[in-house]
Amino acid sequence: MKDIQGGVCAPLGFKAAGIHCGIRKNKSKKDLALIVSDVMCHAASTYTLNKVKGAPIAVTKQHLLNGEAKAIICNSGNANTCNPNGEEIANAVCGLCAKELGIDENDIIVASTGVIGQPLDLAPFENHMNELVQALHSQGSSDACEGIMTTDTVKKEYAVEFEIDGVTCHIGAIAKGSGMIHPNMATMLAFVTSDVNISKEMLNEVIHEVVDDTFNMVSVDGDTSTNDMLSVMANGLANNKEIVQKDESYHIFKDALMYICELLSKGIAKDGEGATKLLTCHVNNACSQKDAKVVAKSVITSSLFKAAMFGKDANWGRILCAIGYCEASYDVDKIEVTLASSAGSILVCQNGRGYPFDEDQALKILSEDEIEILIDLHDGNYQATAWGCDLTYDYVKINGDYRT
């Protein structure tokens, strides 16, 4: 497996585009994106568990009942959530897009991201849909990625190439997400394309397995958004033998998808609103997989710990505190904590108690922009990793005037 360029257009048969259509007042920012496959795809999605859901999710769920799609359209700047005519607008957007593409509107995945509770005018879509479709290009992934960004400061765009039974295959992806990130799937949107030939059933299985260990292990601020969606389209143009069971080919595809989704997850965490540091929490030797995940997520979500990391303060007590209030099984007297970065590593807690360490060395380690929190529970054979970021003054500033 190797990293390649091209994002969602790296797999065979995909084109993409991104334009400014007028949803955002800032004309320099793209606010509408489109991804299209030359042929029908097998498709699957996972969605937010927030009970308040964006209207596009309801429409996409209906469209994917048959497990097929040919296009993804997404706007930024308005979440189309809690609007009385939200589903009507989402359906109308699909209709406009389908007419320009010459396809069935039911074969379109639709998504929105931005401010909640603001009316979404159909006029920008009506006035610019032809322009969007005409902009489709085999090198259009970067434009599409810009079109879905809100408070993101960098693009999250990746692609990989790998082989299945000697056949060259590809996966490409773009994502947005910076704040309101605490997935049970956050204004987190991710769109993945592939030319792998895989059955609908296996695609649906693999997307849920991968999400559990990647996107659902990310937290920026503890808020689960209304519009979370991860959608995958696989068009089969690589012409590998169709993956219909969990065999070696399935696991090769899963490993590649896991790699892509982990890159996206880390990218979202590192680009958290106002963030200055990527925090990666590794939990080892837990007595169950669930316990390992719960502990890792509890630490990465702790506001007090996140604030300490912003302040470069090796306050390991906040790590123990976050472990202590989570619903997991462990022996406190066995817990060991090490803080690490490219500047080195330092043991700060052993057997659930403080371990003497050099504060100057700890400061040097925590001054880097990527910090690892290594927790050994010494209580089993399971492990998990979660990603997050520090909590800064700028997070409050950004969200204090997000709507206005």
Side-chain angles (χ1 to χ4, degrees):
M1 181 166 57
K2 67 177 181 178
D3 296 308
I4 59 173
Q5 300 298 309
V8 292
C9 296
L12 299 173
F14 285 95
K15 296 182 178 67
I19 65 169
H20 174 81
C21 72
I23 297 171
R24 291 175 175 274
K25 294 178 182 179
N26 186 336
K27 295 182 180 180
S28 67
K29 289 190 175 183
K30 294 180 175 65
D31 53 15
L32 188 59
L34 180 63
I35 304 167
V36 180
S37 171
D38 291 343
V39 299
M40 189 64 72
C41 302
H42 289 167
S45 285
T46 62
Y47 311 96
T48 180
L49 293 184
N50 194 316
K51 292 181 176 64
V52 177
K53 292 179 172 61
I57 287 181
V59 174
T60 293
K61 281 184 175 181
Q62 190 65 33
H63 287 185
L64 288 184
L65 287 176
N66 63 355
E68 296 181 353
K70 199 173 182 184
I72 299 171
I73 187 166
C74 176
N75 74 272
S76 59
N78 188 311
N80 192 14
T81 299
C82 299
N83 290 329
N85 65 340
E87 289 187 35
E88 178 184 334
I89 293 292
N91 277 310
V93 169
C94 290
L96 291 167
C97 186
K99 184 177 179 181
E100 289 292 337
L101 290 172
I103 65 175
D104 191 312
E105 65 182 73
N106 293 303
D107 294 329
I108 298 177
I109 292 168
V110 60
S112 297
T113 182
V115 181
I116 295 170
Q118 298 294 308
L120 179 59
D121 190 354
L122 193 60
F125 299 96
E126 293 172 327
N127 297 335
H128 294 272
M129 192 61 72
N130 178 262
E131 177 189 348
L132 179 67
V133 171
Q134 292 302 314
L136 284 168
H137 196 278
S138 60
Q139 303 297 317
S141 178
S142 185
D143 287 337
C145 192
E146 287 182 37
I148 67 174
M149 293 166 64
T150 50
T151 56
D152 306 67
T153 64
V154 295
K155 286 184 280 190
K156 292 93 175 174
E157 179 184 25
Y158 304 98
V160 292
E161 180 178 288
F162 54 99
E163 286 193 359
I164 293 178
D165 291 331
V167 177
T168 301
C169 301
H170 309 85
I171 295 177
I174 59 174
K176 65 83 50 182
S178 187
M180 211 175 189
I181 305 288
H182 188 66
N184 275 316
M185 273 306 313
T187 51
M188 195 288 297
L189 296 175
F191 304 124
V192 180
T193 60
S194 180
D195 48 23
V196 168
N197 186 15
I198 182 171
S199 71
K200 298 175 184 178
E201 294 76 17
M202 290 297 97
L203 185 62
N204 190 60
E205 285 269 339
V206 75
I207 187 176
H208 284 87
E209 290 178 4
V210 167
V211 162
D212 281 345
D213 288 332
T214 54
F215 291 108
N216 283 350
M217 294 301 291
V218 177
S219 184
V220 167
D221 48 22
D223 278 306
T224 297
S225 170
T226 58
N227 288 55
D228 285 359
M229 182 190 297
L230 165 65
S231 296
V232 180
M233 295 198 303
N235 63 18
L237 290 182
N239 288 321
N240 59 290
K241 182 180 178 182
E242 185 179 22
I243 300 171
V244 295
Q245 59 184 349
K246 294 187 179 182
D247 54 13
E248 182 181 359
S249 295
Y250 175 91
H251 288 289
I252 291 172
F253 178 69
K254 180 180 177 179
D255 287 346
L257 184 61
M258 183 78 76
Y259 175 74
I260 281 281
C261 289
E262 184 172 315
L263 286 175
L264 293 173
S265 298
K266 291 170 70 175
I268 288 169
K270 189 169 186 177
D271 194 33
E273 289 174 342
T276 66
K277 301 179 190 299
L278 169 65
L279 307 179
T280 301
C281 182
H282 299 288
V283 174
N284 293 306
N285 300 312
C287 59
S288 74
Q289 185 67 55
K290 179 182 177 182
D291 288 331
K293 287 185 174 182
V294 168
V295 169
K297 198 73 176 282
S298 185
V299 171
I300 223 71
T301 306
S302 166
S303 294
L304 285 174
F305 170 66
K306 288 155 61 69
M309 291 298 94
F310 172 59
K312 306 170 189 175
D313 179 10
N315 191 344
W316 59 270
R318 291 181 174 178
I319 298 173
L320 267 289
C321 179
I323 296 172
Y325 58 63
C326 72
E327 295 295 326
S329 297
Y330 48 81
D331 184 342
V332 173
D333 293 330
K334 295 180 180 179
I335 297 175
E336 181 179 297
V337 179
T338 298
L339 299 175
S341 72
S342 59
S345 64
I346 190 165
L347 179 67
V348 294
C349 172
Q350 190 175 64
N351 300 322
R353 306 290 186 271
Y355 186 86
F357 64 90
D358 186 313
E359 291 283 2
D360 290 335
Q361 183 187 0
L363 177 62
K364 184 179 179 181
I365 290 169
L366 297 183
S367 294
E368 299 299 315
D369 64 359
E370 295 191 8
I371 309 298
E372 291 184 292
I373 304 93
L374 312 175
I375 299 172
D376 195 330
L377 297 180
H378 291 290
D379 214 16
N381 299 306
Y382 294 89
Q383 59 186 27
T385 300
W387 299 275
C389 61
D390 55 345
L391 180 60
T392 72
Y393 307 127
D394 284 340
Y395 178 85
V396 178
K397 290 178 182 178
I398 290 168
N399 285 284
D401 61 5
Y402 179 73
R403 189 177 66 85
T404 54

